[in-house]
Amino acid sequence: MSGIYIHIPFCKQACHYCNFHFSTSLRLKDEMINAICKEITLRKNYLANNILNSIYFGGGTPSLMNADDLSKIFETINKYFQWSPESEITLEANPDDVDNKKLKIFKTYGINRLSIGIQSFFDADLKWMNRAHNSKEALDSIKVAQGEGFSNISIDLIYGSPTTSDDMWKKNIELALESDVPHISSYCLTVEEKTALFHQIQHKKTTAPDLERANIQFDALIKSLTSAGFDHYEISNFAKKHHIAIHNTNYWKGQSYLGIGPSAHSYNGQSRSWNVANNKKYIDSINKEILPIETEFLTPSIRYNEYIMTGLRTMWGVNSDEISVLGDMYRVHFLSNIVKEIDSGLVHICDDQYVLTERGKYFADRIAMNLFFVN
Ligand SMILES: C[S@@+](CC[C@H](N)C(=O)[O-])C[C@H]1O[C@@H](n2cnc3c(N)ncnc32)[C@H](O)[C@@H]1O
Ligand code: SF4
């Protein structure tokens, strides 16, 4: 089974922390939708098997699409790929776009999972982040989606913002739990280069996030959500039974996926490729039937490092037999380096899987780097 990711590179306004690829000018939206359809056609043979268990509209802001846009995209997908109502069809929605009319359109096309970018239920956080929605719209969007019959809903929350006190964060968790959604993705605020936030911090116009406070908030998050029956199945992801995200789990478990649209990444087992992150260049190139793509063929060392990086972040961990498939030297390297993490209580072995302990979850990236194979 494989998945398709479709990147919709437009947003109403730029959130100060975000360095995903998007444009705040919607001038090229129609041309972009046509180019996306054309890219799907050009790459119809990329996956070995065209039976999809997931389609994911990410962004940018896919909820800016109208019925015409979705109709064109699904018509093209349906020409070349098979999927069923059991497939996971996710669309990332911003709270300010969520209304009954839009949701009915999404349902018509088979979208059965919404990922709503709440970030916070507090206006002080949302204003500081430069989000296009307010706290009331955040709460309402979830209720309206549930009212329209969407039960498979995920919400995104950000912790570690200098505007979020520990009490505000506890309230955010409480409101997330009260909203009764079965999936929560929660990210630690990161300061990315080339964002407004990065410049504001550099010019001392705002405060940088405090790592210690972020860790306290991550701790509160894990404790509250796991006590409420969520599985902490990946560092930033929590799900109730039967609601683990199929699309993201495909990524973490090394399944193939086709990424369509500017900046989208694809993976087919042998190589990884990524499209140009520029709307105009993307459209011009696709219109000439030239894929605006760069490709990296994966050596065993890259595969090993990727497996460690992604696998360790999940509740399934990593397995030394899977590492052996890449070559015995990787298994030897892994086994000799994992010992100190086990001795420090950061990793434990569970049914032959090496999994982060509760304490290890705070050091996932550092532990992975210590295990990397450097040629
Ligand atoms: C790229 S956005 C797309 C979703 C949608 N446009 C939205 O913002 O609601 C996906 C998620 O990434 C997270 N995110 C993006 N940049 C981040 C950053 N610098 N630090 C932490 N989380 C970030 C946000 O939670 C956001 O909802
Ligand atoms: S966080 Fe979402 S809405 Fe904000 S700029 Fe990034 S992609 Fe756009």
Side-chain angles (χ1 to χ4, degrees):
M1 291 277 198
S2 333
I4 292 191
Y5 171 84
I6 298 177
H7 191 81
I8 306 299
F10 301 104
C11 293
K12 277 186 199 158
Q13 64 189 53
C15 304
H16 286 166
Y17 54 80
C18 182
N19 82 340
F20 282 76
H21 170 65
F22 65 92
S23 159
T24 50
S25 159
L26 271 66
R27 198 172 52 85
L28 295 176
K29 183 157 106 28
D30 290 348
E31 285 182 61
M32 178 60 70
I33 299 296
N34 291 339
I36 281 174
C37 293
K38 195 156 184 174
E39 191 193 357
I40 298 172
T41 307
L42 290 171
R43 301 181 74 192
K44 60 181 188 290
N45 298 323
Y46 178 81
L47 299 168
N49 164 344
N50 280 8
I51 302 174
L52 305 175
N53 65 353
S54 87
I55 302 174
Y56 192 102
F57 293 94
T61 310
S63 50
L64 288 175
M65 283 191 292
N66 57 31
D68 262 8
D69 303 332
L70 283 165
S71 158
K72 284 182 189 166
I73 294 176
F74 275 105
E75 204 175 291
T76 317
I77 293 178
N78 293 342
K79 252 191 222 165
Y80 306 111
F81 297 89
Q82 286 175 41
W83 56 279
S84 71
E86 284 75 51
S87 307
E88 181 188 88
I89 318 295
T90 306
L91 181 135
E92 286 179 353
N94 284 30
D96 41 306
D97 291 330
V98 173
D99 61 33
N100 297 83
K101 194 169 158 232
K102 259 275 157 78
L103 292 167
K104 283 193 171 71
I105 293 171
F106 296 160
K107 268 210 149 165
T108 313
Y109 290 97
I111 290 158
N112 53 26
R113 183 171 182 272
L114 292 177
S115 168
I116 309 182
I118 299 289
Q119 322 309 350
S120 170
F121 292 104
F122 285 93
D123 283 333
D125 290 335
L126 297 169
K127 275 211 178 99
W128 183 84
M129 293 174 184
N130 200 38
R131 294 289 296 179
H133 70 274
N134 59 31
S135 58
K136 183 177 181 309
E137 286 169 309
L139 281 167
D140 288 352
S141 63
I142 304 172
K143 288 199 191 102
V144 174
Q146 288 166 332
E148 278 298 334
F150 282 92
S151 53
N152 200 357
I153 297 177
S154 176
I155 61 172
D156 286 351
L157 292 173
I158 292 182
Y159 60 90
S161 159
T163 50
T164 317
S165 66
D166 293 347
D167 282 345
M168 283 162 74
W169 181 242
K170 276 191 198 136
K171 188 73 191 165
N172 268 337
I173 300 172
E174 214 177 289
L175 288 168
L177 289 174
E178 275 171 19
S179 73
D180 201 25
V181 292
H183 191 283
I184 296 172
S185 301
S186 188
Y187 306 101
C188 179
L189 178 70
T190 52
V191 181
E192 307 283 352
E193 274 185 46
K194 297 190 190 141
T195 59
L197 177 60
F198 181 83
H199 291 289
Q200 287 166 358
I201 293 171
Q202 285 229 312
H203 294 104
K204 309 220 176 323
K205 297 221 163 88
T206 195
T207 325
D210 170 353
L211 189 61
E212 215 169 291
R213 187 202 258 171
N215 278 341
I216 291 171
Q217 297 187 355
F218 183 47
D219 190 46
L221 178 77
I222 299 174
K223 289 201 173 107
S224 307
L225 297 196
T226 51
S227 318
F230 282 79
D231 284 330
H232 188 190
Y233 73 102
E234 198 269 347
I235 292 286
S236 308
N237 288 281
F238 299 80
K240 283 268 177 77
K241 282 243 159 345
H242 312 301
H243 285 91
I244 284 179
I246 294 174
H247 191 81
N248 293 6
T249 308
N250 276 355
Y251 289 161
W252 302 321
K253 292 202 165 174
Q255 306 277 337
S256 310
Y257 55 88
L258 169 60
I260 298 288
S263 83
H265 286 228
S266 303
Y267 170 73
N268 65 0
Q270 277 87 48
S271 64
R272 240 171 238 299
S273 40
W274 53 96
N275 284 344
V276 66
N278 177 299
N279 289 359
K280 177 89 173 63
K281 283 186 187 159
Y282 171 81
I283 292 170
D284 287 350
S285 181
I286 293 287
N287 284 345
K288 289 186 210 137
E289 305 204 346
I290 300 167
L291 293 176
I293 207 165
E294 279 184 70
T295 299
E296 174 185 56
F297 287 89
L298 302 176
T299 61
S301 302
I302 297 176
R303 278 164 192 256
Y304 164 81
N305 289 345
E306 285 189 354
Y307 177 61
I308 296 294
M309 185 74 194
T310 51
L312 259 193
R313 291 175 60 94
T314 70
M315 69 177 183
W316 304 285
V318 296
N319 179 306
S320 65
D321 288 345
E322 290 210 25
I323 295 172
S324 302
V325 175
L326 299 169
D328 207 44
M329 64 179 180
Y330 297 104
R331 192 180 63 87
V332 171
H333 173 82
F334 173 77
L335 292 177
S336 61
N337 285 282
I338 196 76
V339 177
K340 54 180 176 296
E341 310 297 351
I342 296 172
D343 290 347
S344 321
L346 300 176
V347 171
H348 67 106
I349 308 174
C350 171
D351 297 334
D352 280 344
Q353 297 291 124
Y354 293 80
V355 182
L356 293 179
T357 59
E358 285 310 310
R359 203 157 70 78
K361 288 176 180 172
Y362 295 84
F363 307 103
D365 291 345
R366 204 236 336 115
I367 297 169
M369 267 156 68
N370 287 348
L371 294 165
F372 280 174
F373 189 90
V374 186
N375 282 320

